[in-house]
Every structure is written in C-alpha cells, then in structure tokens.
C-alpha cells in the first residue's frame, strides 16, 4: 500500500501521553501510516473519557502514569462509557502488576515504549480485529510473578501513606479508624516482605500493584 494512500475509513486513534515531545513524535509517526489517523491527543488522564466521547476513536493508546487519572483507571471508564473503543496500553514501565490491572480494566493490549513504531501500528490494527496483544517478555514475567497479594483496602491505605502522611491523616482521608489503618499497613508490610510502610509502598509501586 503506497504511503500517500489513505483508505476512506482510517483507524481513528486517541493518544494519551503526558510528555509533549513523546506525544507529538508518536502522533507524527502513526500519522505516516496510510490507514491510521490520530484524531485526538491529550496530556492528562482525566481528559481521556470526555475526549473519547467527542471524537469516538476506534483505539485509545494510553500511557499509565498520567496527571489527573492513571491510564488504567481511564481504561476501565472507557470500557463502560465508550465500549466500541479498544484500549492499548503503551508504557515505559513494563511491570507485571500493571499488566494484570490493565487486563482487568478491559485493555486489549499492553506494550512497552521501546518497541518499533511498525510493531505499534500492527498492534493497533490487531486489537481492532479483536485480538489481544501483549509484550511477550512482560507476559512471561507476569505469569512468574503471580497475582497481587494486597487487598484493595491495603492498596488504598498504602497509597494514602505517601508523602509522610500519618495514621491519623490516612484514617481521616479514608474514613477509617487509626487502629484499622495500622492493621492494614502492618499486613501490607508483611505481604511485601519489607521492613516498614515506606519500603512496602516502594515495593508495591515497583511491582505495579498500585
């Protein structure tokens, strides 16, 4: 297919990436594909769903770590509000926990950013046909890592413990008692095999559980 040929019905792509230079480069490279059109670009996660409702993309290409809302949370919302849009996660952080969360959120694919643009374009086409596309190395790592051992409440408490928050701060934010917060933190520390909540938070983030 000639590069300057564009079919009557191109694949409409929404691109969510917080780094402007990366976002622009991806849009330019994907726009060179004859059958792909980047119809919208956003730099924050809380703009993804509203933009998708306006532009009705066929595929949403989402980074994970975005301001406002993570790409994983946005993927779950897209599944409910724009069900015809397939979600492809593209991230720098190939963490097993992120892959599991992406699949649970309804994503159709998960790729890391160091791959060639030809592979990305091919993946966009494949998810649109109903395939699930996952980076092979990451898939193997996810299988060996096992599921997230933390409960949703333990994840909430760990996340709220960032930036030096006290047990009282966390209890107030999550509407829990301080003793309950301490119990959740103690359980999370034990499950992550760490010595304190700071290390537990770091390990949970490293694994992609948060």
């Amino acid at each position: 297919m000639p590069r300057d040929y564009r079919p009557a019905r191109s694949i409409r792509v929404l691109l969510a990436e917080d780094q402007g230079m990366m976002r622009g480069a991806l849009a330019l490279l994907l726009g060179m594909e004859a059958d792909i059109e980047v119809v919208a670009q956003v730099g924050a996660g809380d703009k993804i769903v509203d933009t998708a409702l306006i532009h009705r993309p066929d595929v949403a290409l989402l980074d994970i770590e975005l301001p406002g809302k993570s790409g994983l949370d946005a993927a779950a919302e897209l599944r409910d509000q724009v069900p015809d849009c397939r979600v492809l996660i593209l991230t720098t952080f190939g963490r097993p926990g992120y892959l599991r969360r992406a699949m649970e959120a309804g994503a159709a694919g998960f790729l890391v950013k160091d791959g060639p643009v030809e592979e990305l374009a091919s993946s966009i086409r494949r998810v649109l046909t109903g395939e699930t596309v996952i980076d092979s190395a990451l898939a193997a790592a996810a299988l060996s890592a096992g599921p997230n051992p933390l409960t949703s409440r333990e994840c909430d408490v760990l996340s709220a413990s960032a930036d030096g928050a006290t047990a009282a701060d966390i209890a107030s934010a999550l509407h829990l008692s301080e003793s309950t917060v301490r119990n959740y933190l103690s359980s999370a520390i034990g499950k992550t095999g760490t010595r304190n909540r700071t290390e537990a938070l770091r390990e949970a983030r490293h694994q992609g559980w948060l």
Side-chain angles (χ1 to χ4, degrees), residues 126-147:
R126 289 169 62 191
V127 298
L128 196 58
T129 67
E131 288 188 55
T132 298
V133 181
I134 301 173
D135 178 87
S136 57
L138 183 58
L143 287 174
S144 63

Side-chain angles (χ1 to χ4, degrees), residues 163-199:
D163 301 322
T166 65
D169 295 332
I170 300 169
S172 176
L174 300 180
H175 306 291
L176 299 170
S177 69
E178 289 187 43
S179 62
T180 299
V181 166
R182 292 191 181 94
N183 287 339
Y184 280 133
L185 287 173
S186 178
S187 178
I189 291 167
K191 289 180 178 179
T192 55
T194 54
R195 297 173 298 180
N196 53 57
R197 69 179 192 176
T198 301
E199 291 184 2

Side-chain angles (χ1 to χ4, degrees), residues 30-188:
L30 289 175
M32 295 174 66
E33 298 292 321
D35 58 340
I36 295 176
E37 179 183 5
V38 177
V39 296
Q41 302 177 45
V42 298
D46 50 7
K47 295 182 179 180
I48 291 172
V49 173
D50 287 344
T51 303
L53 287 168
I54 294 170
H55 292 277
R56 295 290 172 175
D58 301 306
V59 177
L61 187 60
L62 311 182
D63 192 6
I64 291 179
E65 298 192 355
L66 295 167
K69 181 177 296 180
S70 78
L72 298 176
D73 290 336
E77 292 186 9
L78 284 173
R79 176 187 57 197
D80 296 334
Q81 298 191 43
V82 195
D84 292 337
C85 177
R86 302 282 281 173
V87 172
L88 183 59
I89 299 293
L90 181 66
T91 181
T92 303
F93 306 102
R95 297 168 180 165
Y98 278 167
L99 172 57
R100 289 181 178 273
R101 291 168 60 195
M103 296 300 102
E104 290 169 0
F110 194 108
L111 299 173
V112 291
K113 290 180 179 177
D114 58 1
V117 69
E118 292 81 9
E119 180 181 335
L120 176 59
S122 174
S123 296
I124 289 172
R125 299 181 186 105
R126 289 169 62 191
V127 298
L128 196 58
T129 67
E131 288 188 55
T132 298
V133 181
I134 301 173
D135 178 87
S136 57
L138 183 58
L143 287 174
S144 63
N148 179 1
L150 302 175
T151 67
S152 60
R153 243 348 185 177
E154 288 165 352
C155 288
D156 291 341
V157 169
L158 263 188
S159 296
S161 73
D163 301 322
T166 65
D169 295 332
I170 300 169
S172 176
L174 300 180
H175 306 291
L176 299 170
S177 69
E178 289 187 43
S179 62
T180 299
V181 166
R182 292 191 181 94
N183 287 339
Y184 280 133
L185 287 173
S186 178
S187 178

